[in-house]
Amino acid sequence: MNLIDLLISPAYAQAAGQPAPGGLFGGGLSGLLFPIILIAIMYFLMIRPQMKRAKEHRAMLEKLSKGDEVITNGGIAGTVSDIGDSFITVEIADNVRVRVQKGAVGNVLPKGTLKSA
């Protein structure tokens, strides 16, 4: 016994125990079940609603017509005066027109909304 053993007690390694039998996180088929459940939850809570909103937005853009009152994602409100393939012209005041991408249209407002505001 030396002086260091008096100050610091020696540590001894223990033998490793047997691994627990596979449960939800264990091996085999049940270990594969947990990631599949997580992917399914993410699909129904995140991916599916986002795809639904994108589909509704595309349908709204296809129905867009001249004279519709719209508000862009940037907050500009106006009346559609011209429609192209990927751009539309929005009249925001008398003789003031702005060209924006179709995808920048956030909402189509009910008729008469801009005149009442």
Side-chain angles (χ1 to χ4, degrees), residues 100-115:
V100 295
Q101 286 184 332
K102 266 189 176 179
V105 174
N107 289 322
V108 176
L109 303 172
K111 296 279 183 184
T113 303
L114 295 178
K115 290 184 172 125

Side-chain angles (χ1 to χ4, degrees), residues 7-32:
L7 299 175
I8 301 172
S9 61
Y12 299 104
Q14 294 181 350
Q18 291 290 328
L24 186 61
F25 299 104
L29 184 62
S30 63
L32 196 59

